[in-house]
Amino acid sequence: MKRTNLACPAAVAGTADTALFLLRRPGLFRSAPGRAVGSVAFLGVWMALATRTAHEGDKPTSSTLALSGAAFAGNLATLAVHLRHGVAGPRVFLGTALSCVAFADCVRRVQHGGRRG
């Protein structure tokens, strides 16, 4: 029996959420270019993670594990900044939760060595 790959759907959802955030705020590139660039970088991380987890076998590579860890760390940092400024909405919690699922799933699959069952 093949183990479920939870990292891929989490990464796809993270990609969609970040893309929608950028699409709904076209003025962000003028009003807050640093925030916009950060969001574009997050979009790239999510897209790379979604692609890698969709095409890898049962065991993720070390670079995929690192990528999922970077997504989790970045989302934790984003959540911390939003909480510090009192502007944390559902999106930042969602992004952190999705990145946690992706990272935890990659760690689980690495620890199990791609074993089935």
Side-chain angles (χ1 to χ4, degrees):
M1 182 168 144
K2 187 174 181 178
R3 289 187 170 259
T4 303
N5 175 352
L6 299 174
C8 185
V12 169
T15 300
D17 176 59
T18 305
L20 283 172
F21 174 79
L22 287 166
L23 286 173
R24 290 180 177 161
R25 292 163 183 84
L28 190 64
F29 290 91
R30 284 184 304 268
S31 64
R35 185 175 179 200
V37 168
S39 294
V40 170
F42 264 120
L43 180 62
V45 169
W46 278 124
M47 289 172 66
L49 186 58
T51 302
R52 293 187 66 86
T53 56
H55 294 289
E56 287 181 341
D58 287 344
K59 184 177 178 185
T61 63
S62 58
S63 58
T64 301
L65 182 61
L67 191 60
S68 66
F72 184 45
N75 276 286
L76 278 176
T78 300
L79 176 60
V81 168
H82 281 79
L83 287 172
R84 172 96 170 127
H85 293 284
V87 293
R91 279 197 66 258
V92 293
F93 290 99
L94 176 66
T96 304
L98 290 171
S99 63
C100 180
V101 168
F103 181 57
D105 184 59
C106 286
V107 168
R108 175 188 61 87
R109 291 187 299 127
V110 165
Q111 288 178 339
H112 288 205
R115 290 181 295 203
R116 295 178 185 261

